[in-house]
Structure formats: C-alpha cells, structure tokens
Amino acid sequence: MDKILLGSHVSMAGPDYYLGSVKEALKYGENVLMFYTGAPQNNKRTPIEKCKIEEGIALAKENGMELDKFVCHAPYMINLANSDSEKLKFSKDFLKSEIVRCVAFKCRYLVLHPGLHVHLGEDVGLNNIINGLNEVIEEVKDLDFIICIETMAGKGTELGTTFEQVKKIIDGVKYKEKIGVCLDTCHINDAGYIVDDIDCVINEFDRIIGLNLLKVIHLNDSKNPLGAHKDRHENFGFGEIGFDALIKYVYDERLKDIPKILETPYVEDKPPYKEEIEMIKKKEFNPSLKEIIASK
Ligand code: FE
Ligand code: FE
Ligand code: ZN
C-alpha cells in the first residue's frame, strides 16, 4: 500500500487557531487531522476571520497533507433525538452554524454523534434525528459537506449503536449525497462487534449500510470488553481490542482511501499521537510506549 491516511484529533485554539492545528498534526507525522471548530461544551466561537484558515491550508499543502480528507467533529451538545422543542431548536441551529463553519475551513467531513433518545425510545429518537437532519440540510444544501453519522457505544440512551440504526437514519435523509458514516472501533467494540474479525465488520457494514458510505474511521482501543456499552477510549494496542486487531484497519486495501483518526487519550497530560503513529508505521506493538510518552 502506497500511502496510509493517518491523523489524530488536534486542538484549534488561539493564537494560531487552524494554522496551529496543522502545525500540531505535522509535528505528529500526520497527513490528515480532525478538529473541533471551538470548545465542544459551549457554543462560543472565534470569528472565522481570526482562525488563520488560509495560513493553515497553505502549510498543509506545502507539506503534502490530504486536505480533502480532513475531518471536523461536531460538538457533543447537539442532540437531534430530543423532542423538547427548545433544546431541539438549539441543536438544529448549532448544527447548521457548525456546517457553515466547517465549510469555511474548506473541510468536507463533519462527524456527528446521532443523539440520545433520553426517555423517548428508539423509534421516536431516530425519527427526531431524521427530521432534524432533513430540516438542517435543506437550509444549507448548496454547501459542500458530508455529515458523517458516528457509530456509538450504546452508553445510556445513545442511538446509532448498531449498523441497522445508522442505516435507518440514512434511509430517512432526503439528500443522500450529504450523508456518510464514521466508524469508531472503540464504539463498535463496546456495542458488541468483534473488531478483530475485520472481514465480518466490513461485510456487515457493506451489507447493511454500504461500504461506499464509510468516510471516516476513528481508530481507538477500548478500556472495556466487547459489548460493555461504555465508551472509554484506550491508547492504540493497550486496550481490550488490541494492537493486532486495530492494525488491520490501517492497512486494509478496502479502507485505504478512508482517513483514520486517533482519539486515544493523553498519557499524563502528554499527547500520545506521535509515538502511536510511529508504532503503527512500524507495525509492531511497543508495550513500553506509555512510559515513553509520559517521560517526554
Ligand atoms: Fe465522536
Ligand atoms: Fe469517535
Ligand atoms: Zn468515543
């Protein structure tokens, strides 16, 4: 395989904003990246003009990064599954403004957690998500973006925990060219899929959703065993999924055009991505990696 599309979550904070995001990714040896357009826990946003977007893009180009495979993550606060009209309006408005913002960063993929049904039940929740997506997309349909529904662990009342649920959402969305999927290896492990059996995962995904809709992979290990419904990420190879299972997703021919993004946890406040990426490129597990990261 010629090139692997490998990156991580990077920060997008002042003073350098997007330029800083690209610099951070380059420091880790990445050719793709994922960022939040602002703090995931509130809706305060730095004006676009201040975000050093052109500088970031220029630096990414200079260094041969794969700009068309960059990923933005929508804030967790957005919950389209809710029925409460005020909360739903907040979520729809926020999603719409994040789509506009994502496009301003010339980023096409926007990963979205489908939502929590709270007490409403699966059917009502899924219906709310579909309606919310349709209303929002209708208003910005001329922009160039793809909302990537993330597969979830099934913590609490999370929806999108099975490929079937994700498929139901996609089936309800009117503008099919605006919708894709983000597969998170930690989440599917916690949801009960055997990550190690990559043929089974890919075949199931293809049979139920369609592999052409897979746009992003979140490459995380899990602190919890198969089917735990927990969603706690672990460093690459250090969790219940393990190195040999995860590495298959990096080098599989069928997934070669899909950006793979690490959302693995910091080790003693230090980012693990440079070391994890080096290890992934060597294709050999290093059991002392966490100590190496911690001692930086
Ligand atoms: Fe996510
Ligand atoms: Fe994820
Ligand atoms: Zn997660």
Side-chain angles (χ1 to χ4, degrees):
M1 185 181 291
D2 29 22
K3 190 187 270 173
I4 54 173
L5 297 170
L6 194 54
S8 71
H9 161 244
V10 291
S11 79
M12 213 286 290
D16 268 351
Y17 297 101
Y18 204 44
L19 178 61
S21 310
V22 173
K23 280 182 182 167
E24 187 181 344
L26 288 168
K27 198 170 74 185
Y28 303 148
E30 307 179 353
N31 56 5
V32 290
L33 59 79
M34 183 175 82
F35 67 104
Y36 288 82
T37 80
Q41 64 275 12
N42 66 52
N43 62 348
K44 280 196 238 108
R45 292 293 179 262
T46 307
I48 282 295
E49 317 79 68
K50 283 193 177 169
C51 288
K52 301 196 181 177
I53 297 172
E54 290 309 325
E55 291 102 308
I57 290 172
L59 184 67
K61 271 188 191 152
E62 263 168 48
N63 286 278
M65 293 181 83
E66 303 287 329
L67 275 157
D68 57 335
K69 299 288 165 90
F70 279 20
V71 182
C72 180
H73 200 306
Y76 305 136
M77 290 174 80
I78 294 174
N79 181 14
L80 294 178
N82 218 307
S83 285
D84 178 280
S85 62
E86 219 161 284
K87 287 180 186 151
L88 192 56
K89 184 179 177 334
F90 170 85
S91 289
K92 286 191 285 197
D93 289 348
F94 200 9
L95 178 58
K96 191 172 84 181
S97 66
E98 285 289 298
I99 292 171
V100 171
R101 220 169 139 78
C102 177
V103 169
F105 282 80
K106 302 203 169 51
C107 180
R108 284 187 82 209
Y109 297 144
L110 180 64
V111 171
L112 176 71
H113 292 182
L116 307 148
H117 69 69
V118 200
H119 57 279
L120 300 166
E122 181 182 325
D123 289 343
V124 175
L126 289 174
N127 246 313
N128 288 344
I129 294 169
I130 291 166
N131 292 334
L133 283 171
N134 281 331
E135 280 178 48
V136 172
I137 294 172
E138 180 71 47
E139 292 181 47
V140 288
K141 60 177 185 297
D142 297 330
L143 300 178
D144 185 20
F145 68 91
I146 295 178
I147 291 178
C148 303
I149 301 290
E150 183 163 355
T151 60
M152 301 308 289
K155 192 174 65 179
T157 63
E158 267 174 1
L159 293 165
T161 300
T162 61
F163 295 165
E164 285 83 358
Q165 280 183 352
V166 173
K167 169 67 172 165
K168 271 191 195 167
I169 296 169
I170 291 170
D171 277 346
V173 172
K174 190 173 158 200
Y175 295 97
K176 302 290 183 212
E177 73 280 11
K178 296 289 187 221
I179 205 92
V181 179
C182 168
L183 181 101
D184 186 311
T185 51
C186 166
H187 297 177
I188 64 167
N189 170 78
D190 288 21
Y193 293 88
I194 300 165
V195 174
D196 185 50
D197 192 347
I198 187 171
D199 288 335
C200 181
V201 169
I202 289 179
N203 290 339
E204 276 286 284
F205 191 101
D206 192 38
R207 183 175 67 80
I208 296 163
I209 300 172
L211 199 56
N212 59 317
L213 288 174
L214 181 56
K215 304 298 180 194
V216 180
I217 290 177
H218 282 170
L219 198 58
N220 304 310
D221 213 325
S222 175
K223 286 194 197 294
N224 291 290
L226 182 73
H229 301 299
K230 283 285 205 313
D231 190 4
R232 290 187 63 219
H233 301 183
E234 179 55 283
N235 293 99
F236 197 102
F238 287 85
E240 295 284 330
I241 300 172
F243 186 87
D244 294 344
L246 287 171
I247 201 82
K248 293 176 189 173
Y249 290 75
V250 181
Y251 292 101
D252 194 288
E253 268 300 315
R254 293 164 288 187
L255 309 176
K256 74 173 187 328
D257 296 325
I258 297 164
K260 290 137 196 115
I261 304 291
L262 297 160
E263 299 175 300
T264 48
Y266 275 36
V267 179
E268 294 182 25
D269 295 326
K270 294 181 179 101
Y273 308 120
K274 182 172 187 286
E275 288 75 14
E276 285 186 330
I277 285 170
E278 281 169 6
M279 179 174 74
I280 289 166
K281 287 180 177 167
K282 275 189 198 146
K283 303 187 193 178
E284 195 185 298
F285 184 57
N286 180 353
S288 336
L289 201 77
K290 282 195 183 188
E291 285 94 86
I292 294 169
I293 297 163
S295 70
K296 274 197 296 185

